[in-house]
Amino acid sequence: MTERSLAGKRVVVVGGSAGIGRAFALKALEDRARLVVVARRELPAEVLADAAQVTSVSADIRNPDDCRRIGETAASTLGQVDLLLISAGYAPLKAFSDVDAEDWTKVLATNVIGVHQVIQAHLPVLAPSAVVAVLSSDSVRHPHRALGAYSASKAAMERSLVAWRLEHPGYRFSCVEVGATVPTDFISDFDPDLLGVVAGEWISRGLVPATHMTPEGVADMLAGIVASALDNPNVGLDHVTLKSPAPPMTL
């Protein structure tokens, strides 16, 4: 079997400072892809190790001007983009009755509007049959208490990808549904007391697997899937689900 690689591919990673985005950027760097890596915070030194291979952009996708600048950077450094991976996201942990207008503004501005603006900015530079992959969450189909606003925003993002497919059928707009992955920055801003309460409920409902995926494992698997898709432009990639396998049954 031919080993799939992102070697020579032109890749933009949005949300590359930590978690799956950082791990994917490192995997693409290892594969010798040409990279533009975008982050709101400072990128890790290892992502920037090869200045000839990686261009970094400091940007906040909630800012329309920043989104346009990301697209312009991709155009000037890569020419065309084979893969646009968007892993940036925001999640407030709150009881749904406590979610206020500011929470909604931030979560929708990041997970829906920001994602839309990033895709919009890259349309002029997407290569034929390019893959646009956006990370979603298993909480869309398996609701988690205190993540109502987050899962609602991800559901809206997923439906927006359907609209992109309808209007731009030459490209592969892919929703990447990701299960529990540790460690990431996903819970870094969560209230630890509330997290302790709701995590117990998540576990009791079977929403938290006994074993978790790692960002590196997810990135490695996703890179192989995307590399295969780029080598097979006539095969769609609408939805990918990455989750921990169920434990073996005991008799």
Side-chain angles (χ1 to χ4, degrees):
M1 181 181 295
T2 303
E3 182 178 353
R4 301 298 183 183
S5 170
L6 293 170
K9 303 301 184 186
R10 298 157 295 186
V11 178
V12 177
V13 178
V14 179
S17 62
I20 295 170
R22 170 186 172 277
F24 191 93
L26 289 173
K27 172 60 179 173
L29 186 64
E30 178 186 308
D31 278 1
R32 305 303 297 175
R34 294 173 58 202
L35 283 167
V36 171
V37 183
V38 182
R40 188 166 54 88
R41 295 169 296 168
E42 186 176 356
L43 286 166
E46 61 268 31
V47 175
L48 303 175
D50 190 340
Q53 193 178 339
V54 181
T55 299
S56 65
V57 180
S58 176
D60 185 341
I61 66 172
R62 290 176 292 191
N63 183 323
D65 290 336
D66 280 7
C67 292
R68 284 190 288 270
R69 184 162 52 84
I70 297 168
E72 291 167 357
T73 302
S76 63
T77 59
L78 301 178
Q80 286 189 312
V81 173
D82 300 302
L83 167 64
L84 169 61
L85 175 72
I86 305 175
S87 68
Y90 171 71
L93 185 78
K94 281 190 174 183
F96 202 60
S97 58
D98 292 335
V99 174
D100 58 25
E102 183 180 356
D103 295 321
W104 275 117
T105 298
K106 290 175 68 175
V107 76
L108 293 174
T110 305
N111 300 345
V112 182
I113 301 169
V115 168
H116 178 86
Q117 291 177 148
V118 169
I119 295 173
Q120 192 176 55
H122 284 79
L123 282 180
V125 295
L126 291 178
S129 301
V131 172
V132 177
V134 186
L135 299 195
S136 189
S137 166
D138 63 346
S139 67
V140 174
R141 268 153 287 282
H142 305 284
H144 290 52
R145 181 184 172 192
L147 286 178
Y150 172 71
S151 59
S153 72
K154 287 297 189 179
M157 182 278 294
E158 291 188 10
R159 296 310 301 174
S160 74
L161 291 180
V162 174
W164 280 116
R165 290 185 204 116
L166 285 172
E167 295 188 10
H168 298 273
Y171 305 124
R172 272 88 58 85
F173 294 94
S174 179
C175 170
V176 182
E177 178 182 332
V178 181
T181 307
V182 176
T184 69
D185 278 3
F186 181 73
I187 66 171
S188 60
D189 294 329
F190 287 178
D191 180 313
D193 293 331
L194 178 57
L195 179 60
V197 172
V198 299
E201 181 180 319
W202 297 348
I203 293 169
S204 69
R205 292 174 53 212
L207 299 175
V208 179
T211 59
H212 297 89
M213 300 182 293
T214 65
E216 293 74 20
V218 171
D220 188 64
M221 178 68 76
L222 184 57
I225 293 170
V226 172
S228 181
L230 292 175
D231 288 342
N232 293 277
N234 295 322
V235 178
L237 195 67
D238 288 0
H239 196 106
V240 176
T241 300
L242 301 176
K243 63 179 184 178
S244 297
M249 295 182 63
T250 56
L251 300 178

